[in-house]
Amino acid sequence: MKNKEVKSVDQFRDEIDKDAKGNRGNFKILSREMFNSRAFAKLDGKSTLVVLSILNKLEYEPREKNKRKGVKSSIPCLKNNGEFYLTINELVARGLSESSAT
């Protein structure tokens, strides 16, 4: 894995604001299986924010590709074998305290 540039909380806030304007589509899918699970129901506000941040990081292969590579799921295949990264600064930018994010 390449060394990623360390971004500040303000840089992540700027990225989140850009993303909110719809640069990557208008919505993400939360499966009914996940939404109705007992584990999801037990999440508190901070935990829910972390889970939704993780789901936001997932990228899917476009439907029009003939040969899809990646992890198969009930919805389109995940890019990068489902790998992603989520930093403490990104969670702080989303409203968690640094100690909660850690």
Side-chain angles (χ1 to χ4, degrees), residues 11-27:
Q11 287 172 315
F12 275 116
R13 283 190 183 126
D14 291 341
E15 282 187 14
I16 290 167
D17 290 342
K18 284 181 195 174
D19 199 31
K21 293 178 182 175
N23 296 338
R24 293 190 310 145
N26 295 326
F27 64 93

Side-chain angles (χ1 to χ4, degrees), residues 7 9 11 13 19 27-28 38-40 48 51 53 62 68 77 79 86 100:
K7 295 180 185 176
V9 173
Q11 287 172 315
R13 283 190 183 126
D19 199 31
F27 64 93
K28 283 285 192 175
R38 292 180 187 199
F40 191 79
T48 304
V51 169
S53 296
R68 294 182 180 176
C77 294
K79 289 184 180 179
L86 185 64
S100 293

